[in-house]
Amino acid sequence: MRAKHLKPAILLSIYIAISHWSGSALAQNTDASNLYKSGLAATCANCHGTDGKGVVDGGMPLINNLTSEQILTQLKAFKSGAREGTIMPQLAKGYSDEQLETIANQLGKK
């Protein structure tokens, strides 16, 4: 009689463990994804400042008032060579289009 109830209890324990593990993994994946996105956008802070207002007397354009679409358009223009610059064309070419889109979404106004 005892063995009859043991199998469902074991299966339930396994199900609960897997559910808990997958929930933790999902939270960790979300955290890792958010950290990755923030890290990509943080590379812009060296020149444009952490708030997108640029560096005082640095000659850097203000980007804190641009939408995500405007930022992405400019990043793609730098990458393709349609827009000239000193550093930005080189930097933009180092990112995939997906990474540029992530950066634009992180920095741009919605």
Side-chain angles (χ1 to χ4, degrees):
M1 188 87 100
R2 186 182 241 206
K4 183 178 179 182
H5 297 291
L6 188 59
K7 187 175 180 181
I10 291 172
L11 290 175
L12 180 60
S13 297
I14 291 171
Y15 174 76
I16 290 171
I18 289 173
S19 296
H20 178 69
W21 176 77
S22 63
S24 296
L26 181 59
Q28 289 175 352
N29 285 342
T30 301
D31 290 344
S33 177
N34 289 339
L35 182 60
Y36 170 73
K37 292 174 184 178
S38 296
L40 282 176
T43 61
C44 304
N46 289 328
C47 298
H48 295 283
T50 55
D51 55 5
K53 293 181 181 178
V55 177
V56 177
D57 297 324
M60 302 301 156
L62 305 178
I63 60 172
N64 66 333
N65 59 344
L66 301 176
T67 65
S68 298
E69 294 82 19
Q70 290 171 320
I71 291 174
L72 184 58
T73 298
Q74 294 305 315
L75 289 172
K76 285 184 175 182
F78 281 123
K79 184 175 180 176
S80 71
R83 181 169 176 189
E84 294 182 3
T86 54
I87 296 171
M88 280 304 301
Q90 297 161 351
L91 293 174
K93 288 176 186 169
Y95 292 104
S96 68
D97 289 343
E98 182 181 84
Q99 289 173 319
L100 292 178
E101 188 172 334
T102 298
I103 291 168
N105 287 336
Q106 287 291 114
L107 296 176
K109 290 186 175 184
K110 308 290 186 223

